[in-house]
């Protein structure tokens, strides 16, 4: 074989080796790309927002995790609660992360064949008649029966008409009539009147009274920002209701109202079409205090934009990394 022939053979071998190397590298790259691809890449997942500030914390924690951990493009559908459930049932919305019970149970019942309730965020929400803790301690007020005492009626008489004044529910809300029924049942309607007032007006009035150390009595509930600024029982005292009466009956707590429960509602197709997202949605659990704190930032501090809410969610996730990693592990994502 001539020297030129040997060179040609050598060059061919080099070319073949290089070509083989490129093929192998391409295979490695392709395999590596397949391994690193996230299950939600190229897919859209729609989360519902029920137009209530308390919906946002679980919504945005879920949004961030679906984006960062699973690669989804997440869209938010802003709908009334009455429109959210049929949208989930029809598949237009994949999930609503703040399904609220017992208030929304009738909607779940209506669409129960086309959606599923999964997970639990919290079940320790309350509605109660409330006073500042310093008032409770100074005047030895422990429950609703103590409100019958003449000196306590006088203490809460804001307008001097001889009856105590309780900041209550917006007149358009069902809780207004329920509270009227409760006052009548106990006989407290002879000594107190409910002042109908919008929720945020009531909260700012409560804050003013707390800051100026004025006696005040009010009906309120969680989630709500007032309990982020003035925690129970350090600053606020919930009055127990010995009557145990509620016009709707049902599961009533010691304060005379059904406890609020927050879960997640998902469409039936989510488990099949988005199994990783479904597994994660079952595990995500944003607690009540985080919701109270978020509502404070939204309403009082004015940090209510979607960008603000994403930032709050990421900050909460990092502050609770061990908990979040537990969700991911339980969902089979770690």
């Amino acid at each position: 074989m001539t020297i030129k022939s040997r060179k040609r053979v050598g060059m061919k071998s080099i070319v073949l080796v290089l070509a083989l190397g490129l093929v192998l590298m391409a295979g490695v790259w392709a395999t590596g790309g397949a391994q690193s691809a996230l299950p939600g890449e190229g897919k859209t997942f729609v989360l519902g927002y029920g137009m209530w500030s308390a919906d946002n914390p679980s919504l945005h924690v879920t949004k961030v995790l679906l984006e960062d951990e699973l690669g989804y493009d997440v869209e938010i559908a802003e709908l009334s609660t009455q429109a959210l459930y049929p949208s989930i049932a029809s598949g237009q919305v994949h999930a609503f992360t703040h399904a609220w019970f017992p208030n929304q149970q009738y909607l779940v019942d209506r669409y129960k064949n086309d959606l599923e309730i999964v997970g639990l965020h919290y079940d320790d929400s309350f509605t109660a008649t409330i006073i500042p803790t310093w008032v409770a301690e100074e005047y030895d007020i422990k429950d609703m029966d103590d409100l019958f005492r003449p000196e306590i009626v006088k203490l809460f008489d804001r307008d001097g008409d001889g009856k105590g004044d309780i900041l209550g529910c917006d007149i358009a809300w069902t809780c207004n009539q329920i509270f009227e029924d409760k006052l009548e049942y106990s006989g407290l309607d002879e000594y107190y009147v409910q002042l109908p007032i919008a929720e945020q007006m009531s909260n700012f009035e409560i804050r003013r009274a707390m800051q100026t150390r004025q006696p005040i009595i009010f009906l309120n509930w969680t989630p709500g920002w007032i309990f982020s600024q003035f925690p129970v029982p350090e600053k606020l005292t919930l009055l127990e209701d010995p009557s145990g009466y509620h016009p709707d009956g049902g599961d009533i707590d010691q304060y005379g109202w059904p406890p609020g429960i927050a879960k997640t509602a998902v469409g039936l197709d989510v488990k099949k079409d988005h199994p990783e997202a479904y597994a994660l949605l079952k595990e995500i659990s944003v607690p009540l205090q985080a919701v109270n704190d978020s509502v404070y930032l939204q309403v009082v501090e004015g940090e209510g934009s979607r960008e603000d809410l994403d930032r709050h969610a990421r900050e909460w996730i990092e502050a609770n990394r061990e908990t979040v990693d537990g969700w991911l592990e339980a969902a089979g994502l770690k």
Side-chain angles (χ1 to χ4, degrees):
M1 183 180 291
T2 65
I3 293 175
K4 288 184 178 180
S5 298
R6 288 174 182 170
K7 285 183 177 179
R8 284 197 296 271
V9 171
M11 289 299 295
K12 287 180 180 180
S13 298
I14 291 171
V15 171
L16 286 171
V17 169
L18 289 173
L20 180 60
L22 289 171
V23 169
L24 290 172
M25 289 178 69
V28 170
W29 291 334
T31 304
Q35 288 176 341
S36 63
L38 296 174
E41 285 185 1
K43 300 178 183 178
T44 299
F45 201 92
V46 182
L47 294 175
Y49 170 55
M51 314 297 283
W52 183 26
S53 57
D55 293 342
N56 278 317
S58 59
L59 167 61
H60 280 266
V61 167
T62 301
K63 175 180 180 290
V64 167
L65 291 176
L66 287 174
E67 291 172 340
D68 292 358
E69 301 293 338
L70 296 179
Y72 279 98
D73 177 19
V74 178
E75 295 182 358
I76 296 175
E78 299 189 356
L79 299 165
S80 68
T81 303
Q82 288 74 19
L84 259 177
Y85 283 88
S87 297
I88 295 169
S90 67
Q92 295 173 295
V93 172
H94 292 111
F96 174 42
T97 64
H98 202 238
W100 185 254
F101 303 96
N103 302 49
Q104 294 169 15
Q105 185 63 52
Y106 76 100
L107 290 166
V108 173
D109 293 342
R110 186 179 301 170
Y111 299 101
K112 63 183 178 181
N113 293 328
D114 298 301
L115 56 79
E116 180 184 1
I117 302 299
V118 300
L120 171 67
H121 292 291
Y122 53 86
D123 58 4
D124 54 347
S125 179
F126 59 78
T127 298
T129 306
I130 305 169
I131 59 176
T133 295
W134 74 264
V135 172
E137 293 174 347
E138 186 169 324
Y139 293 90
D140 192 29
I141 303 173
K142 297 183 177 64
D143 57 37
M144 298 286 285
D145 284 350
D146 289 322
L147 300 181
F148 285 101
R149 289 158 38 198
E151 69 274 19
I152 304 305
V153 176
K154 185 177 180 180
L155 179 70
F156 295 123
D157 183 0
R158 297 161 63 96
D159 56 10
D161 67 351
K163 283 191 170 186
D165 299 293
I166 303 176
L167 295 188
C169 268
D170 189 309
I171 198 164
W173 291 11
T174 56
C175 53
N176 181 282
Q177 186 56 53
I178 290 172
F179 195 46
E180 288 291 328
D181 292 344
K182 287 173 64 63
L183 291 174
E184 182 177 358
Y185 179 87
S186 66
L188 282 169
D189 62 324
E190 296 290 327
Y191 303 91
Y192 291 85
V193 294
Q194 175 184 195
L195 302 180
I197 186 171
E199 179 182 17
Q200 297 309 332
M201 289 181 63
S202 176
N203 283 344
F204 283 108
E205 178 66 14
I206 293 162
R207 185 172 71 166
R208 185 191 65 79
M210 293 293 291
Q211 291 172 338
T212 57
R213 199 176 167 82
Q214 292 183 352
I216 190 170
I217 183 169
F218 55 93
L219 182 71
N220 215 297
W221 45 85
T222 51
W225 65 260
I226 203 71
F227 302 99
S228 177
Q229 190 169 13
F230 305 107
V232 175
E234 293 83 2
K235 297 295 184 180
L236 295 172
T237 293
L238 313 182
L239 299 182
E240 295 191 5
D241 183 0
S243 76
Y245 172 75
H246 190 282
D248 296 336
D251 180 21
I252 307 303
D253 63 19
Q254 67 267 40
Y255 310 116
W257 295 79
I261 301 170
K263 297 185 178 183
T264 293
V266 299
L268 289 186
D269 289 339
V270 172
K271 185 176 183 179
K272 172 175 61 72
D273 297 340
H274 306 279
E276 293 86 0
Y278 175 82
L280 182 57
L281 286 165
K282 289 178 66 176
E283 301 300 329
I284 294 174
S285 180
V286 179
L288 178 59
Q289 189 57 49
V291 180
N292 292 338
D293 294 343
S294 173
V295 176
Y296 178 84
L297 291 173
Q298 293 175 63
V299 176
V300 181
E301 299 297 333
E303 298 181 10
S305 71
R306 290 295 170 202
E307 292 76 14
D308 287 331
L309 293 164
D310 268 2
R311 175 171 52 81
H312 297 163
R314 293 183 189 280
E315 290 171 352
W316 187 89
I317 288 168
E318 288 311 308
N320 296 272
R321 192 71 248 182
E322 184 176 349
T323 296
V324 173
D325 285 344
W327 300 343
L328 296 171
E329 184 176 350
L333 302 175
K334 284 186 74 73

